[in-house]
Amino acid sequence: MRNSSIADRDPCPYRIIEDIGGAFAFGAIGGGVWHFGKGAWNSPKGSRLTGAISNTAARAPIMGGQFAVWGGLFACCDCTLSAIRQKEDPWNSIVSGAATGGILAARAGPKAMASAAVVGGVILALIEGMGIWMNNYFAMPPPGMEDQMAASVGPPANDITAPPTTGGLGMLPTGLSSVGRRATRQQPSTMTMGDDGFDSGGHETTFSTGSSSGSEEDRKGGWWPFRS
């Protein structure tokens, strides 16, 4: 998988200038903070602020220049490896860090050169590994988000494993549907009202609903739909 931080970098001829400027700014700011505190600590009382400013003005640009040299060598090695391998990946940065450390320590001898190369390669490997881990961590959805997305989308229309809908539950077999139709039919009923009913004349009033078809069906087969 390609690292997004590598893909977003500038092309190689301009990358060298960018890395030199960024390294110089990083070294000057960081070195300024460090040497400001160091100058204030080593200065006598009453002149701590003056000593801190003087030490920062004297040492911060030097540290910025050292960082700029390191960044320029690293960018040159990285561009060279990219041109040779014709690809951009973390291995270019790791090998470039090792080569930069070895070149900067070349004046101290082969042993110091090899030691600095190992240190530079390990540091760049840790940086690249941390960058890849952070990209993968922030690219993954939060836990449970996939289940929520699947629930919001729902199963496909032709999924036979999906639970039945309201319309599906209303579809009954043929025998049970006939039972439901027969149960809804009203049986003949008779209601007689006496003197205390609506008929004040003492006459009995009879109300009859339905028909005799239901009784005939009951005599024939009853309400049971599965006849032998």
Side-chain angles (χ1 to χ4, degrees):
M1 183 176 63
R2 192 177 184 184
N3 194 352
S4 60
S5 61
I6 295 176
D8 295 339
R9 297 179 66 181
D10 291 336
C12 240
Y14 306 99
R15 188 184 303 174
I16 299 174
I17 301 174
E18 179 189 4
D19 288 350
I20 291 174
F24 179 81
F26 183 79
I29 295 173
V33 173
W34 171 259
H35 288 294
F36 185 88
K38 186 177 180 180
W41 179 265
N42 295 329
S43 298
K45 292 182 179 181
S47 61
R48 293 187 184 276
L49 182 60
T50 304
I53 294 174
S54 300
N55 193 36
T56 302
R59 301 298 300 176
I62 296 176
M63 184 169 287
Q66 293 174 353
F67 272 76
V69 171
W70 196 95
L73 286 175
F74 175 82
C76 291
C77 295
D78 193 11
C79 289
T80 302
L81 290 174
S82 299
I84 293 173
R85 302 180 66 223
Q86 294 296 319
K87 64 188 302 185
E88 294 277 353
D89 57 3
W91 286 109
N92 289 345
S93 300
I94 296 172
V95 176
S96 298
T100 302
I103 292 171
L104 292 176
R107 295 172 58 186
K111 186 176 181 180
M113 183 176 178
S115 177
V118 171
V119 172
V122 170
I123 292 176
L124 264 298
L126 292 175
I127 294 174
E128 291 294 329
M130 184 64 67
I132 294 173
W133 177 80
M134 291 182 66
N135 289 333
N136 293 336
Y137 179 78
F138 289 109
M140 293 188 301
M145 183 62 69
E146 296 180 356
D147 298 337
Q148 295 179 3
M149 295 175 61
S152 62
V153 173
N158 56 354
D159 189 5
I160 60 175
T161 62
T165 60
T166 305
L169 292 176
M171 300 174 62
L172 299 176
T174 306
L176 296 180
S177 61
S178 61
V179 173
R181 288 195 301 269
R182 293 175 181 176
T184 55
R185 293 177 180 176
Q186 296 181 356
Q187 299 297 331
S189 59
T190 303
M191 181 171 59
T192 304
M193 291 186 176
D195 297 336
D196 55 349
F198 293 99
D199 190 3
S200 58
H203 301 284
E204 294 183 354
T205 305
T206 302
F207 298 94
S208 176
T209 58
S211 60
S212 60
S213 59
S215 60
E216 294 176 359
E217 291 179 357
D218 292 340
R219 288 193 300 270
K220 290 180 180 180
W223 61 271
W224 185 253
F226 306 103
R227 301 183 178 90
S228 58

